[in-house]
Amino acid sequence: MAQEVRGVIAPGKDEPVRVETIVVPDPGPGEAVVRIQACGVCHTDLHYKQGGINDEFPFLLGHEAAGVVESVGAGVTDVAPGDFVILNWRAVCGQCRACLRGRPWYCFDTHNAEQRMTLTSTGQELSPALGIGAFAEKTLVAAGQCTKVDASVAPQVAGLLGCGVMAGIGAAINTGNVGRGDSVAVIGCGGVGDAAIAGSRLAGAARIIAVDIDDRKLAKAREMGATHTVNSRETDAVEAIRELTGGFGADVVIEAVGRPETYRQAFYARDLAGTVVLVGVPTPEMKLELPLLDVFGRGGALKSSWYGDCLPSRDFPMLIDLHLQGRLDLGAFVTETIQLDEVEKAFERMHEGDVLRSVVVL
Ligand SMILES: [Zn+2]
Ligand SMILES: [Zn+2]
């Protein structure tokens, strides 16, 4: 039977978010209902509220979540009621040209639940953020969006892997292929940049250079594993990175800002044949101009990282295991835990610079 639960709704462009009662249908074929235990507040949720992603209001916000599967629909075999899971944006299809070539992390035909959750008050259909909608006591997703992990990890830590932290770690270990002894520079030290730093440390990078314009963020980056820091408001980032790498540049430079000027820094701060990874998300009007001869002459790879090129079934359990072994401090990303009705306040705090993640705990 359909259930009524509380969830955080963005009713219209730039309107404050509020807690409302929503209807969660029983799971249909291939779907699952998950009882949410924790969900991080991500910039993408704020972008939804601001109308920056699309205008399919009202949104049910929240997408960095962990919880327990409550029920599953027909044909679901990979997860079962009682499983502790991390939610991901994209259930892979297994049949598109990427999946068929053995590259499911690029799946070009991912899917979410087919049924829609609705507002109790008006019956309006809700658009769940990134196909999840987890600032809610329960949510409906495609079963393939649930990845079972070791249940001994705290939910507020596990949920972070569902988005920003996975994007950053994956930018380093999957897209950038950072390996033992590499030098890495990370430009932009918010949650994703810090996760790229943690991922680079995990992968055995010898030198990890954090670049930001905020000294508080650089101090945090050191805690996450940066061996050197550069304040690019005071110092030229490209020169500083070259100086710290024997005059050559870093093997891998991860751009976690998503702006042409920082991309240009990343492009010139890498060694010959090095790799640039763009994980920061640009806006539609941004343009980049580079001498084509430099693109050719400097060789190497210019890559973009989608969701850290992660494959949830491969990466989530592995990273949770490393966390439980004390080799990856996911807890360091949690600045504060809050209640469901404090999401609006968390959006306001987002720009203060010392909040990596506010996490709603249910
Ligand atoms: Zn996110
Ligand atoms: Zn596919």
Coordinates of all heavy atoms in Angstrom, one line a residue, residues 219-317:
A219 N 43.9 24.4 4.7 CA 44.2 23.7 5.9 C 43.4 22.4 6.0 O 44.0 21.4 6.3 CB 43.8 24.6 7.1
K220 N 42.2 22.4 5.5 CA 41.4 21.2 5.5 C 42.0 20.2 4.5 O 42.0 19.0 4.7 CB 39.9 21.5 5.1 CG 39.0 20.4 5.2 CD 38.7 20.0 6.6 CE 37.8 18.7 6.6 NZ 37.6 18.2 8.0
A221 N 42.5 20.7 3.3 CA 43.1 19.9 2.3 C 44.3 19.1 2.8 O 44.5 18.0 2.5 CB 43.4 20.7 1.1
R222 N 45.0 19.8 3.7 CA 46.2 19.1 4.3 C 45.7 17.9 5.2 O 46.3 16.9 5.2 CB 46.9 20.1 5.2 CG 48.1 20.7 4.5 CD 49.0 21.5 5.4 NE 49.9 22.3 4.7 CZ 51.0 21.9 4.1 NH1 51.5 20.7 4.3 NH2 51.7 22.8 3.4
E223 N 44.6 18.2 5.9 CA 44.1 17.0 6.7 C 43.7 15.9 5.8 O 43.8 14.7 6.2 CB 42.8 17.5 7.5 CG 43.0 18.3 8.7 CD 41.7 18.8 9.3 OE1 40.7 18.0 9.3 OE2 41.6 20.0 9.7
M224 N 43.2 16.2 4.6 CA 42.8 15.1 3.7 C 43.9 14.4 3.0 O 43.7 13.4 2.3 CB 41.8 15.7 2.7 CG 40.6 16.3 3.2 SD 39.6 15.0 3.9 CE 38.1 15.9 4.3
G225 N 45.1 15.0 3.1 CA 46.3 14.3 2.5 C 47.1 15.1 1.6 O 48.1 14.6 1.1
A226 N 46.8 16.4 1.5 CA 47.7 17.3 0.6 C 49.1 17.4 1.3 O 49.2 17.6 2.5 CB 47.1 18.7 0.5
T227 N 50.1 17.2 0.5 CA 51.5 17.4 1.1 C 51.9 18.8 0.9 O 52.8 19.3 1.6 CB 52.5 16.5 0.3 OG1 52.4 16.8 -1.1 CG2 52.1 15.0 0.5
H228 N 51.4 19.6 0.0 CA 51.8 21.0 -0.2 C 50.5 21.8 -0.5 O 49.5 21.2 -1.1 CB 52.7 21.1 -1.4 CG 54.0 20.4 -1.2 ND1 54.1 19.1 -1.3 CD2 55.2 20.9 -0.8 CE1 55.4 18.7 -1.0 NE2 56.1 19.8 -0.7
T229 N 50.5 23.1 -0.2 CA 49.3 23.9 -0.5 C 49.8 25.2 -1.2 O 50.9 25.7 -1.0 CB 48.5 24.3 0.7 OG1 49.4 24.9 1.6 CG2 47.9 23.0 1.4
V230 N 48.9 25.7 -2.1 CA 49.2 26.9 -2.9 C 48.0 27.8 -2.8 O 46.9 27.4 -3.2 CB 49.5 26.6 -4.4 CG1 49.6 27.9 -5.2 CG2 50.7 25.7 -4.5
N231 N 48.1 29.0 -2.3 CA 47.0 29.9 -2.3 C 47.2 30.7 -3.6 O 48.0 31.6 -3.8 CB 47.1 30.9 -1.1 CG 45.9 31.8 -1.1 OD1 45.4 32.3 -2.1 ND2 45.3 32.1 0.1
S232 N 46.2 30.5 -4.5 CA 46.4 31.0 -5.9 C 45.9 32.5 -6.0 O 45.9 33.1 -7.0 CB 45.7 30.1 -6.9 OG 44.3 30.0 -6.5
R233 N 45.4 33.0 -4.8 CA 45.1 34.4 -4.8 C 46.5 35.2 -4.6 O 46.6 36.3 -5.1 CB 44.2 34.8 -3.7 CG 43.4 36.0 -3.9 CD 42.6 36.5 -2.6 NE 41.4 35.7 -2.3 CZ 40.3 35.9 -3.0 NH1 40.2 36.7 -4.0 NH2 39.2 35.2 -2.6
E234 N 47.4 34.5 -3.9 CA 48.7 35.2 -3.6 C 49.8 34.8 -4.6 O 50.7 35.6 -4.8 CB 49.1 34.8 -2.2 CG 48.2 35.3 -1.1 CD 48.3 34.5 0.2 OE1 49.1 33.6 0.3 OE2 47.5 34.8 1.1
T235 N 49.7 33.6 -5.1 CA 50.8 33.0 -5.9 C 50.3 32.5 -7.3 O 49.1 32.0 -7.3 CB 51.4 31.8 -5.2 OG1 51.5 32.1 -3.8 CG2 52.8 31.4 -5.7
D236 N 51.1 32.6 -8.3 CA 50.7 32.0 -9.6 C 50.7 30.5 -9.5 O 51.7 29.8 -9.2 CB 51.7 32.4 -10.7 CG 51.3 31.9 -12.0 OD1 51.6 30.7 -12.3 OD2 50.7 32.7 -12.8
A237 N 49.5 29.9 -9.7 CA 49.3 28.4 -9.4 C 50.2 27.6 -10.3 O 50.8 26.6 -9.9 CB 47.8 28.1 -9.6
V238 N 50.3 28.0 -11.6 CA 51.1 27.2 -12.5 C 52.5 27.2 -12.1 O 53.2 26.1 -12.0 CB 50.9 27.7 -14.0 CG1 51.8 26.9 -14.9 CG2 49.4 27.6 -14.4
E239 N 53.1 28.3 -11.8 CA 54.5 28.4 -11.4 C 54.7 27.7 -10.2 O 55.7 26.9 -10.0 CB 54.9 29.9 -11.2 CG 55.3 30.5 -12.5 CD 55.6 32.0 -12.3 OE1 56.1 32.4 -11.3 OE2 55.3 32.8 -13.3
A240 N 53.8 27.8 -9.2 CA 54.0 27.1 -7.9 C 54.0 25.6 -8.1 O 54.8 24.9 -7.5 CB 52.9 27.6 -6.9
I241 N 53.1 25.1 -8.9 CA 53.0 23.7 -9.1 C 54.3 23.2 -9.8 O 54.8 22.1 -9.4 CB 51.7 23.3 -9.9 CG1 50.5 23.5 -9.0 CG2 51.8 21.8 -10.3 CD1 49.2 23.5 -9.8
R242 N 54.7 23.9 -10.8 CA 56.0 23.5 -11.5 C 57.1 23.5 -10.5 O 58.0 22.6 -10.5 CB 56.3 24.5 -12.6 CG 55.4 24.2 -13.8 CD 55.9 25.0 -15.0 NE 54.9 24.9 -16.1 CZ 54.8 25.8 -17.1 NH1 55.5 26.9 -17.1 NH2 53.9 25.6 -18.0
E243 N 57.2 24.6 -9.7 CA 58.3 24.6 -8.7 C 58.3 23.4 -7.8 O 59.4 22.9 -7.4 CB 58.1 25.9 -7.9 CG 59.4 26.7 -7.6 CD 59.0 28.1 -7.1 OE1 58.8 28.2 -5.9 OE2 59.0 29.0 -8.0
L244 N 57.1 23.0 -7.4 CA 57.0 21.9 -6.4 C 57.2 20.5 -7.1 O 57.2 19.5 -6.5 CB 55.6 21.9 -5.8 CG 55.4 23.0 -4.7 CD1 54.0 23.2 -4.4 CD2 56.3 22.8 -3.5
T245 N 57.4 20.5 -8.4 CA 57.5 19.2 -9.2 C 58.8 19.3 -10.0 O 58.8 18.9 -11.2 CB 56.3 19.0 -10.1 OG1 56.0 20.1 -10.8 CG2 55.1 18.6 -9.2
G246 N 59.9 19.8 -9.5 CA 61.2 19.8 -10.1 C 61.2 20.7 -11.4 O 62.0 20.5 -12.3
G247 N 60.2 21.6 -11.5 CA 60.2 22.5 -12.7 C 59.4 22.0 -13.8 O 59.2 22.6 -14.9
F248 N 58.7 20.8 -13.7 CA 58.1 20.1 -14.8 C 56.6 20.2 -14.8 O 56.0 20.3 -15.9 CB 58.5 18.6 -14.8 CG 59.9 18.4 -14.9 CD1 60.6 17.7 -13.9 CD2 60.7 18.9 -15.9 CE1 62.0 17.5 -13.9 CE2 62.1 18.7 -16.0 CZ 62.7 18.0 -15.0
G249 N 55.9 20.2 -13.7 CA 54.5 20.1 -13.6 C 54.1 18.8 -13.1 O 54.9 17.8 -13.0
A250 N 52.8 18.6 -12.7 CA 52.3 17.4 -12.1 C 51.9 16.4 -13.1 O 51.6 16.7 -14.2 CB 51.1 17.7 -11.2
D251 N 52.0 15.1 -12.7 CA 51.6 14.0 -13.6 C 50.1 14.1 -13.9 O 49.7 13.8 -15.0 CB 51.9 12.7 -13.0 CG 53.4 12.5 -12.8 OD1 54.2 12.7 -13.7 OD2 53.8 12.1 -11.6
V252 N 49.3 14.4 -12.9 CA 47.9 14.5 -13.0 C 47.4 15.8 -12.4 O 47.8 16.1 -11.2 CB 47.2 13.3 -12.3 CG1 45.6 13.4 -12.5 CG2 47.7 11.9 -12.9
V253 N 46.7 16.6 -13.1 CA 46.1 17.8 -12.5 C 44.5 17.6 -12.5 O 44.0 17.4 -13.6 CB 46.5 19.1 -13.2 CG1 45.9 20.3 -12.4 CG2 48.0 19.2 -13.3
I254 N 43.9 17.7 -11.4 CA 42.5 17.6 -11.3 C 41.8 18.9 -11.1 O 42.1 19.6 -10.1 CB 42.1 16.6 -10.1 CG1 42.7 15.2 -10.5 CG2 40.6 16.5 -9.9 CD1 42.7 14.3 -9.3
E255 N 41.0 19.3 -12.0 CA 40.3 20.6 -12.0 C 38.9 20.4 -11.4 O 38.1 19.8 -12.0 CB 40.2 21.2 -13.4 CG 40.1 22.7 -13.6 CD 38.7 23.2 -13.3 OE1 37.9 22.6 -12.5 OE2 38.3 24.3 -13.8
A256 N 38.8 20.9 -10.1 CA 37.5 20.7 -9.4 C 36.7 22.0 -9.2 O 36.0 22.1 -8.3 CB 37.8 20.0 -8.1
V257 N 36.9 22.9 -10.1 CA 36.2 24.2 -10.1 C 35.2 24.3 -11.2 O 34.0 24.6 -11.0 CB 37.2 25.4 -10.1 CG1 36.4 26.7 -10.0 CG2 38.2 25.3 -9.0
G258 N 35.6 24.0 -12.4 CA 34.8 24.1 -13.6 C 34.7 25.5 -14.2 O 33.6 26.0 -14.5
R259 N 35.9 26.1 -14.3 CA 35.9 27.4 -14.9 C 37.0 27.5 -16.0 O 38.1 26.8 -15.8 CB 36.1 28.5 -13.9 CG 35.0 28.6 -12.8 CD 35.2 29.9 -12.0 NE 35.2 31.1 -12.8 CZ 34.1 31.7 -13.2 NH1 32.9 31.3 -12.8 NH2 34.1 32.8 -13.9
P260 N 36.9 28.3 -17.0 CA 38.0 28.3 -18.0 C 39.3 28.7 -17.5 O 40.3 28.1 -17.9 CB 37.5 29.4 -19.0 CG 36.0 29.5 -18.8 CD 35.7 29.1 -17.4
E261 N 39.4 29.7 -16.5 CA 40.7 30.1 -16.1 C 41.4 29.0 -15.2 O 42.6 28.9 -15.3 CB 40.6 31.4 -15.3 CG 39.6 31.5 -14.2 CD 38.1 31.9 -14.6 OE1 37.8 31.6 -15.7 OE2 37.4 32.5 -13.7
T262 N 40.6 28.3 -14.4 CA 41.2 27.2 -13.7 C 41.6 26.0 -14.6 O 42.5 25.3 -14.3 CB 40.3 26.8 -12.5 OG1 39.0 26.8 -12.9 CG2 40.5 27.7 -11.3
Y263 N 40.7 25.8 -15.6 CA 41.1 24.7 -16.6 C 42.4 25.1 -17.2 O 43.3 24.2 -17.4 CB 40.0 24.6 -17.6 CG 40.2 23.3 -18.4 CD1 39.7 22.1 -18.0 CD2 41.0 23.3 -19.6 CE1 39.9 20.9 -18.7 CE2 41.2 22.2 -20.3 CZ 40.7 21.0 -19.8 OH 41.0 19.8 -20.5
R264 N 42.6 26.3 -17.6 CA 43.8 26.7 -18.3 C 45.0 26.5 -17.3 O 46.1 26.0 -17.7 CB 43.8 28.2 -18.7 CG 44.8 28.6 -19.7 CD 44.5 29.9 -20.3 NE 43.4 30.0 -21.2 CZ 42.2 30.7 -20.9 NH1 42.2 31.3 -19.8 NH2 41.2 30.7 -21.7
Q265 N 44.8 26.8 -16.0 CA 45.9 26.5 -15.0 C 46.2 25.0 -15.0 O 47.4 24.6 -15.0 CB 45.4 26.9 -13.6 CG 45.4 28.4 -13.4 CD 44.8 28.8 -12.0 OE1 44.3 27.9 -11.3 NE2 44.9 30.0 -11.6
A266 N 45.2 24.2 -15.0 CA 45.4 22.8 -15.0 C 46.1 22.3 -16.2 O 47.0 21.5 -16.1 CB 44.0 22.0 -14.9
F267 N 45.7 22.9 -17.4 CA 46.4 22.5 -18.6 C 47.9 22.7 -18.6 O 48.7 21.9 -19.1 CB 45.7 23.2 -19.8 CG 46.2 22.9 -21.1 CD1 45.8 21.8 -21.8 CD2 47.2 23.7 -21.7 CE1 46.3 21.4 -23.0 CE2 47.7 23.4 -23.0 CZ 47.2 22.3 -23.7
Y268 N 48.3 23.9 -18.1 CA 49.7 24.3 -18.1 C 50.4 23.8 -16.9 O 51.7 23.9 -16.9 CB 49.8 25.8 -18.3 CG 49.5 26.2 -19.8 CD1 48.4 26.9 -20.1 CD2 50.4 25.8 -20.8 CE1 48.1 27.3 -21.4 CE2 50.1 26.2 -22.1 CZ 49.0 26.9 -22.4 OH 48.7 27.3 -23.7
A269 N 49.7 23.3 -15.9 CA 50.4 22.9 -14.6 C 50.8 21.5 -14.7 O 51.4 20.9 -13.7 CB 49.6 23.2 -13.4
R270 N 50.5 20.8 -15.8 CA 50.8 19.3 -15.8 C 52.1 19.1 -16.6 O 52.5 20.0 -17.5 CB 49.7 18.5 -16.5 CG 49.7 18.7 -17.9 CD 48.4 18.2 -18.6 NE 48.3 18.8 -19.9 CZ 48.2 18.2 -21.0 NH1 48.1 16.9 -21.0 NH2 48.2 18.8 -22.2
D271 N 52.8 18.0 -16.3 CA 54.0 17.7 -17.0 C 53.7 17.3 -18.5 O 52.5 17.0 -18.8 CB 54.7 16.5 -16.3 CG 56.2 16.4 -16.6 OD1 56.6 17.1 -17.5 OD2 56.8 15.5 -16.0
L272 N 54.7 17.3 -19.3 CA 54.5 16.7 -20.7 C 53.9 15.3 -20.5 O 54.3 14.6 -19.7 CB 55.8 16.7 -21.4 CG 56.5 18.0 -21.7 CD1 57.9 17.8 -22.3 CD2 55.6 18.8 -22.8
A273 N 53.0 15.0 -21.4 CA 52.3 13.7 -21.4 C 51.5 13.4 -20.1 O 51.1 12.3 -19.9 CB 53.3 12.6 -21.6
G274 N 51.3 14.5 -19.4 CA 50.4 14.3 -18.2 C 48.9 14.3 -18.5 O 48.5 14.4 -19.6
T275 N 48.2 14.2 -17.4 CA 46.7 14.1 -17.6 C 46.0 15.2 -16.9 O 46.4 15.6 -15.8 CB 46.2 12.7 -17.0 OG1 46.9 11.7 -17.7 CG2 44.7 12.6 -17.1
V276 N 45.0 15.8 -17.6 CA 44.1 16.8 -16.9 C 42.8 16.1 -16.8 O 42.3 15.5 -17.7 CB 43.9 18.1 -17.8 CG1 42.9 19.0 -17.2 CG2 45.2 18.8 -17.9
V277 N 42.2 16.2 -15.6 CA 40.9 15.7 -15.3 C 40.0 16.8 -14.9 O 40.2 17.5 -14.0 CB 40.9 14.6 -14.2 CG1 39.5 14.1 -13.9 CG2 41.8 13.4 -14.5
L278 N 38.9 17.0 -15.7 CA 37.9 18.0 -15.4 C 36.8 17.4 -14.6 O 36.0 16.6 -15.2 CB 37.4 18.7 -16.7 CG 36.3 19.7 -16.5 CD1 36.7 20.9 -15.7 CD2 35.7 20.2 -17.8
V279 N 36.6 17.7 -13.3 CA 35.5 17.1 -12.6 C 34.6 18.3 -12.1 O 33.4 18.0 -11.8 CB 36.0 16.2 -11.4 CG1 36.8 17.0 -10.4 CG2 34.8 15.5 -10.7
G280 N 35.1 19.5 -12.1 CA 34.2 20.7 -11.8 C 33.2 20.8 -13.0 O 33.6 20.5 -14.1
V281 N 32.0 21.3 -12.7 CA 31.0 21.3 -13.7 C 30.8 22.8 -14.2 O 30.5 23.7 -13.4 CB 29.6 20.9 -13.1 CG1 28.6 20.9 -14.2 CG2 29.8 19.5 -12.5
P282 N 31.1 23.0 -15.5 CA 31.0 24.4 -16.1 C 29.5 24.7 -16.3 O 28.7 23.9 -16.2 CB 31.7 24.2 -17.4 CG 32.1 22.8 -17.6 CD 31.5 22.0 -16.5
T283 N 29.3 26.0 -16.6 CA 28.0 26.5 -17.0 C 27.9 26.7 -18.5 O 28.9 26.8 -19.1 CB 27.6 27.8 -16.3 OG1 28.6 28.7 -16.6 CG2 27.6 27.6 -14.7
P284 N 26.7 26.7 -19.1 CA 26.6 26.7 -20.5 C 27.3 27.8 -21.3 O 27.7 27.6 -22.4 CB 25.0 26.8 -20.8 CG 24.4 26.3 -19.5 CD 25.4 26.7 -18.4
E285 N 27.4 29.0 -20.7 CA 28.0 30.1 -21.4 C 29.5 30.1 -21.4 O 30.2 30.9 -22.1 CB 27.5 31.4 -20.9 CG 28.1 31.9 -19.5 CD 27.4 31.1 -18.3 OE1 26.6 30.3 -18.5 OE2 27.8 31.4 -17.2
M286 N 30.2 29.2 -20.7 CA 31.6 29.2 -20.6 C 32.3 28.7 -21.9 O 31.9 27.7 -22.4 CB 32.1 28.4 -19.4 CG 31.7 29.0 -18.1 SD 32.2 27.9 -16.7 CE 31.7 28.9 -15.3
K287 N 33.4 29.4 -22.2 CA 34.2 29.0 -23.4 C 35.6 28.9 -23.0 O 36.1 29.6 -22.2 CB 34.0 30.1 -24.5 CG 32.6 30.3 -25.0 CD 32.3 29.4 -26.2 CE 31.0 29.8 -26.9 NZ 29.9 29.4 -26.1
L288 N 36.3 28.0 -23.8 CA 37.8 27.8 -23.5 C 38.6 28.0 -24.8 O 38.2 27.5 -25.8 CB 38.0 26.4 -23.0 CG 39.4 26.0 -22.7 CD1 40.0 26.7 -21.5 CD2 39.5 24.5 -22.5
E289 N 39.6 28.8 -24.7 CA 40.5 29.0 -25.8 C 41.9 28.6 -25.5 O 42.5 29.0 -24.4 CB 40.5 30.4 -26.3 CG 41.0 30.6 -27.7 CD 40.7 32.0 -28.2 OE1 39.5 32.3 -28.4 OE2 41.7 32.8 -28.5
L290 N 42.5 27.7 -26.2 CA 43.9 27.2 -26.0 C 44.6 27.1 -27.3 O 43.9 26.8 -28.3 CB 43.9 25.8 -25.4 CG 43.5 25.7 -23.9 CD1 43.3 24.2 -23.6 CD2 44.5 26.3 -23.0
P291 N 45.9 27.4 -27.4 CA 46.6 27.2 -28.6 C 46.6 25.7 -29.0 O 47.0 24.9 -28.2 CB 48.0 27.7 -28.3 CG 47.9 28.5 -27.1 CD 46.7 27.9 -26.3
L292 N 46.1 25.4 -30.2 CA 46.0 24.0 -30.6 C 47.4 23.3 -30.6 O 47.5 22.1 -30.3 CB 45.3 23.9 -31.9 CG 44.8 22.5 -32.3 CD1 43.9 21.9 -31.3 CD2 44.0 22.6 -33.7
L293 N 48.4 24.1 -30.9 CA 49.7 23.6 -30.9 C 50.1 23.1 -29.5 O 50.8 22.1 -29.4 CB 50.7 24.6 -31.4 CG 52.2 24.1 -31.6 CD1 52.2 22.9 -32.6 CD2 53.1 25.2 -32.0
D294 N 49.7 23.8 -28.5 CA 50.0 23.4 -27.1 C 49.2 22.1 -26.8 O 49.8 21.2 -26.1 CB 49.6 24.5 -26.1 CG 50.7 25.6 -26.1 OD1 51.7 25.5 -26.8 OD2 50.4 26.6 -25.4
V295 N 48.0 22.0 -27.3 CA 47.2 20.8 -27.0 C 48.0 19.6 -27.6 O 48.1 18.5 -27.0 CB 45.8 20.9 -27.6 CG1 45.0 19.6 -27.5 CG2 45.0 22.0 -26.9
F296 N 48.5 19.8 -28.8 CA 49.2 18.7 -29.5 C 50.6 18.5 -28.8 O 51.0 17.4 -28.4 CB 49.4 19.0 -31.0 CG 50.3 18.0 -31.7 CD1 49.8 16.8 -32.0 CD2 51.6 18.3 -31.9 CE1 50.6 15.8 -32.6 CE2 52.4 17.4 -32.5 CZ 51.9 16.1 -32.9
G297 N 51.3 19.6 -28.7 CA 52.7 19.5 -28.3 C 52.9 19.0 -26.9 O 54.0 18.4 -26.5
R298 N 51.9 19.2 -26.0 CA 52.1 18.8 -24.6 C 51.7 17.4 -24.4 O 51.9 16.8 -23.4 CB 51.4 19.7 -23.7 CG 51.8 21.2 -23.8 CD 51.1 22.1 -22.8 NE 51.5 21.7 -21.5 CZ 52.6 22.1 -20.8 NH1 53.5 22.9 -21.4 NH2 52.8 21.7 -19.6
G299 N 51.0 16.8 -25.4 CA 50.7 15.4 -25.4 C 49.7 15.0 -24.2 O 49.0 15.8 -23.7
G300 N 49.8 13.7 -23.8 CA 49.0 13.3 -22.7 C 47.5 13.2 -22.9 O 47.1 13.0 -24.1
A301 N 46.8 13.4 -21.9 CA 45.3 13.2 -22.0 C 44.5 14.3 -21.3 O 44.9 14.8 -20.2 CB 45.0 11.9 -21.3
L302 N 43.5 14.8 -22.0 CA 42.6 15.7 -21.4 C 41.2 15.0 -21.2 O 40.6 14.6 -22.2 CB 42.4 16.9 -22.3 CG 43.7 17.6 -22.8 CD1 43.4 18.7 -23.8 CD2 44.4 18.2 -21.6
K303 N 40.8 14.8 -20.0 CA 39.7 13.9 -19.7 C 38.6 14.6 -18.9 O 39.0 15.5 -18.1 CB 40.1 12.6 -19.0 CG 41.1 11.8 -19.8 CD 41.6 10.7 -19.0 CE 40.8 9.4 -19.2 NZ 41.4 8.2 -18.5
S304 N 37.4 14.2 -19.0 CA 36.3 14.7 -18.1 C 35.9 13.5 -17.3 O 36.0 12.3 -17.7 CB 35.1 15.1 -18.9 OG 35.5 16.1 -19.9
S305 N 35.5 13.8 -16.1 CA 35.1 12.7 -15.1 C 33.7 12.8 -14.8 O 33.2 13.8 -14.2 CB 36.0 12.8 -13.9 OG 35.7 11.7 -13.0
W306 N 32.9 11.9 -15.3 CA 31.4 11.8 -15.0 C 31.2 11.0 -13.7 O 31.4 9.8 -13.7 CB 30.6 11.1 -16.1 CG 30.7 11.7 -17.4 CD1 31.1 13.0 -17.8 CD2 30.4 11.1 -18.7 NE1 31.1 13.2 -19.1 CE2 30.6 12.0 -19.7 CE3 30.0 9.8 -19.0 CZ2 30.4 11.7 -21.1 CZ3 29.8 9.5 -20.4 CH2 30.0 10.5 -21.4
Y307 N 30.8 11.7 -12.6 CA 30.5 10.9 -11.4 C 31.7 10.1 -11.0 O 31.5 8.9 -10.6 CB 29.2 10.0 -11.7 CG 28.4 9.5 -10.5 CD1 27.3 8.8 -10.7 CD2 28.8 9.7 -9.2 CE1 26.5 8.3 -9.7 CE2 28.1 9.2 -8.1 CZ 26.9 8.5 -8.4 OH 26.2 8.0 -7.3
G308 N 32.9 10.6 -11.3 CA 34.1 9.9 -10.9 C 34.3 8.6 -11.8 O 35.0 7.7 -11.4
D309 N 33.6 8.6 -12.9 CA 33.6 7.3 -13.8 C 33.4 6.1 -12.9 O 34.1 5.1 -13.1 CB 34.9 7.2 -14.6 CG 34.9 8.3 -15.7 OD1 33.9 8.8 -16.1 OD2 36.0 8.6 -16.2
C310 N 32.5 6.2 -11.9 CA 32.4 5.1 -10.9 C 31.5 4.1 -11.5 O 30.6 4.3 -12.3 CB 31.9 5.7 -9.6 SG 30.1 6.0 -9.5
L311 N 31.7 2.9 -11.0 CA 30.7 1.8 -11.1 C 30.3 1.4 -9.7 O 31.1 0.8 -9.0 CB 31.4 0.6 -11.8 CG 30.4 -0.6 -12.1 CD1 29.3 -0.2 -13.0 CD2 31.2 -1.7 -12.8
P312 N 29.1 1.8 -9.3 CA 28.7 1.7 -7.9 C 29.0 0.3 -7.3 O 29.5 0.1 -6.2 CB 27.3 2.1 -7.9 CG 27.2 3.1 -9.0 CD 28.1 2.6 -10.1
S313 N 28.6 -0.7 -8.1 CA 28.7 -2.1 -7.6 C 30.2 -2.5 -7.4 O 30.5 -3.4 -6.6 CB 28.1 -3.1 -8.6 OG 28.7 -3.0 -9.9
R314 N 31.1 -1.8 -8.1 CA 32.5 -2.1 -7.9 C 33.1 -1.2 -6.8 O 33.9 -1.6 -5.9 CB 33.2 -1.9 -9.2 CG 34.7 -2.0 -9.2 CD 35.3 -1.5 -10.5 NE 35.1 0.0 -10.6 CZ 35.3 0.7 -11.7 NH1 35.7 0.0 -12.8 NH2 35.1 2.0 -11.8
D315 N 32.8 0.1 -6.9 CA 33.5 1.1 -6.1 C 32.9 1.3 -4.7 O 33.7 1.6 -3.8 CB 33.5 2.4 -6.9 CG 34.3 2.3 -8.1 OD1 35.1 1.4 -8.3 OD2 34.1 3.2 -9.0
F316 N 31.6 1.3 -4.5 CA 31.0 1.6 -3.2 C 31.5 0.6 -2.1 O 32.0 1.0 -1.1 CB 29.5 1.7 -3.2 CG 28.9 2.9 -4.0 CD1 27.5 3.0 -4.1 CD2 29.7 3.9 -4.6 CE1 27.0 4.1 -4.8 CE2 29.1 4.9 -5.3 CZ 27.8 5.0 -5.4
P317 N 31.3 -0.7 -2.4 CA 31.7 -1.6 -1.3 C 33.2 -1.6 -1.1 O 33.7 -1.7 0.1 CB 31.3 -3.0 -1.9 CG 30.4 -2.7 -3.0 CD 30.7 -1.4 -3.5

